[in-house]
Amino acid sequence: MSKEIELGITVSEVYLTVSGTYYPEEPEERYDNNMSGTPISYAEFELTSVKIEDVEIIDIISDSIFDSIVEMVIENQKD
C-alpha cells in the first residue's frame, strides 16, 4: 500500500523539503510447490517535489542528487 509523504532531509549540507509517493517493500509470496506466485517487490519512492524553503527545484537538480534523495527517503521509511 502506497503512502504520500513529505519530509525534510539534508543533502550536501542543504536542507530540503521533499515529497512524493512511497511504495513499501512487499515480500515474496509462493502459492504452491511449483513455486508460482509473486516475486519480492523492493521499496520505491516516486519523488514529485524538492524545495529549498518555498522554491521548487526538482527540475534543476542533477540526476545524482535526485537518486541520492530517493535512496535517503527509502532508508528513512525503513526505520
Side-chain angles (χ1 to χ4, degrees):
M1 171 173 268
S2 66
K3 65 178 178 177
E4 297 296 316
I5 61 171
E6 179 178 294
L7 64 129
I9 61 172
T10 301
V11 177
S12 299
E13 300 181 22
V14 177
Y15 184 80
L16 305 171
T17 302
V18 300
S19 60
T21 306
Y22 175 72
Y23 302 90
E25 184 174 297
E26 295 182 10
E28 179 177 60
E29 290 186 32
R30 297 295 172 201
Y31 304 121
D32 52 35
N33 290 337
N34 71 0
M35 300 303 287
S36 66
T38 57
I40 192 169
S41 173
Y42 295 101
E44 296 180 25
F45 181 65
E46 184 179 324
L47 183 61
T48 57
S49 176
V50 179
K51 294 182 180 180
I52 297 176
E53 296 184 10
D54 288 330
V55 178
E56 181 63 59
I57 62 166
I58 195 168
D59 292 331
I60 61 172
I61 62 175
S62 69
D63 290 343
S64 64
I65 296 294
F66 187 98
D67 293 342
S68 293
I69 292 169
V70 170
E71 289 175 17
M72 291 173 72
V73 170
I74 290 172
E75 285 302 313
N76 178 275
Q77 295 302 302
K78 287 181 179 180
D79 295 340

